[in-house]
Amino acid sequence: MLAEPAVPDNSRPAPLRDCLVCETTAAAARELAAAKTGRKLVACGNCGFTYAPLTAPPLAAGAATHPGDALLGWVDRTTSWRRFMFSMLQPHELLNHLGPGSGNVVDVGCHRETLKSISRRFSIYGLETFPELSARARTEAAQSGATILSTTAVEGLSRFPDRSLAGVMLHSHLERDADARRVVELLSRKLRLDGIAILKLSNYGSINRRIMGKRWYKFNFPEYLNYFRRCDVTALASCFGLEASFPFLLSLPTDDNFVAILKPKIPAEIY
């Protein structure tokens, strides 16, 4: 018989998360009035990175809706074409075209389109935290021959030897991961010197976010914990010897998402 789930201990407040980009203490962060749902967001007092200082705080019950929410939501949906104004490229195509000729590739989160579309010249591994989603991914990945592991990003990436990965795909993952800094640190260690990591992220710097304000649909609580701008990704990658680039057509200010390519900086003595 399965054990009954433990009752969470709410007698003590959960510890605050520090900024994952520059590690400045959360006590120095500035609180933002960003979410009508009642989820607390802060901006780092040093680098300005926006994040949730608590991983799972209680949400406000019966949060009031603004009279304009329905209209703004309709405008947001009916103008979604703005995200595809200039490009139909997909992140996995970057891996297929820019990645090495062969090797191990890890798809963090087992994104359905990624598992189907990664080139068969790679040996594909998928990491999925939830067992039921892992089982679904195994069914979807049967044709590609991918190996699906039911584990977290940090634990799964840690299983691979250093400098052994030709590529890593993180499709809408870092926003949700409380250990996102640790994930990027592992990318710097596990990627081969000719390897690449492709990240798809919510674009906190998008024009639409500025227009929609606290009603921006990417304020998806309690699922999302981290809100990246391109400068945040660049700074975080630099902490671990990675360089970040942003394909123009996949990182437009009109898009609510952007794509980043991370590569190890090649040590000078190798040239």
Side-chain angles (χ1 to χ4, degrees):
M1 174 184 283
L2 293 175
E4 291 294 326
V7 177
D9 179 11
N10 295 322
S11 59
R12 290 178 298 176
L16 294 178
R17 300 171 64 223
D18 295 334
C19 175
L20 67 85
V21 175
C22 68
E23 297 189 292
T24 298
T25 176
R30 174 174 55 88
E31 185 169 353
L32 302 175
K36 65 179 181 293
T37 56
R39 180 65 176 270
K40 183 178 180 180
L41 283 182
V42 298
C44 174
N46 180 46
C47 70
F49 175 65
T50 297
Y51 65 100
L54 295 171
T55 55
L59 300 181
T65 58
H66 188 277
D69 284 355
L71 176 60
L72 286 172
W74 177 83
V75 171
D76 191 38
R77 290 190 301 273
T78 56
T79 61
S80 61
W81 49 264
R82 68 187 180 277
R83 293 176 288 160
F84 310 104
M85 288 172 64
F86 302 107
S87 174
M88 295 302 290
L89 292 174
Q90 297 296 323
H92 63 263
E93 294 180 302
L94 296 175
L95 178 61
N96 291 340
H97 287 89
L98 302 179
S102 62
N104 294 328
V105 165
V106 174
D107 176 23
V108 178
C110 296
H111 188 265
R112 181 177 304 175
E113 293 302 318
T114 300
L115 286 174
K116 290 194 305 183
S117 306
I118 292 178
S119 171
R120 299 301 183 267
R121 73 179 190 266
F122 297 117
S123 298
I124 307 168
Y125 295 83
L127 307 181
E128 174 53 64
T129 303
F130 300 103
E132 62 273 18
L133 296 182
S134 296
R136 183 186 306 172
R138 289 188 182 95
T139 300
E140 294 171 348
Q143 293 182 345
S144 68
T147 300
I148 308 300
L149 306 175
S150 183
T151 183
T152 65
V154 167
E155 201 281 330
L157 289 171
S158 297
R159 297 186 187 184
F160 293 89
D162 289 356
R163 298 289 178 237
S164 67
L165 298 181
V168 179
M169 292 288 306
L170 297 108
H171 194 290
S172 300
H173 174 80
L174 284 192
E175 301 99 318
R176 299 170 164 88
D177 200 325
D179 293 325
R181 182 178 176 87
R182 175 68 171 148
V183 171
V184 175
E185 179 186 3
L186 284 167
L187 294 180
S188 72
R189 288 172 41 200
K190 304 304 177 180
L191 283 174
R192 291 164 25 180
L193 293 181
D194 62 346
I196 61 173
I198 310 294
L199 284 62
K200 185 173 183 180
L201 298 158
S202 298
N203 186 5
Y204 188 71
S206 72
I207 293 173
N208 190 45
R209 197 274 300 174
R210 299 174 188 276
I211 293 174
M212 296 293 290
K214 67 180 181 180
R215 292 183 290 279
W216 185 44
Y217 80 103
K218 290 286 186 175
F219 287 137
N220 185 9
F221 306 127
E223 188 176 358
Y224 282 23
L225 301 173
N226 310 308
Y227 288 92
F228 293 92
R229 303 161 298 178
R230 298 199 318 182
C231 62
D232 300 319
V233 175
T234 299
L236 181 57
S238 182
C239 290
F240 302 108
L242 296 167
E243 56 185 6
S245 60
F246 306 91
F248 174 72
L249 294 179
L250 292 174
S251 304
L252 296 168
T254 54
D255 197 334
D256 283 317
N257 301 289
F258 69 92
V259 170
I261 301 175
L262 304 186
K263 295 181 179 180
K265 296 178 182 177
I266 307 300
E269 59 268 21
I270 292 181
Y271 287 103

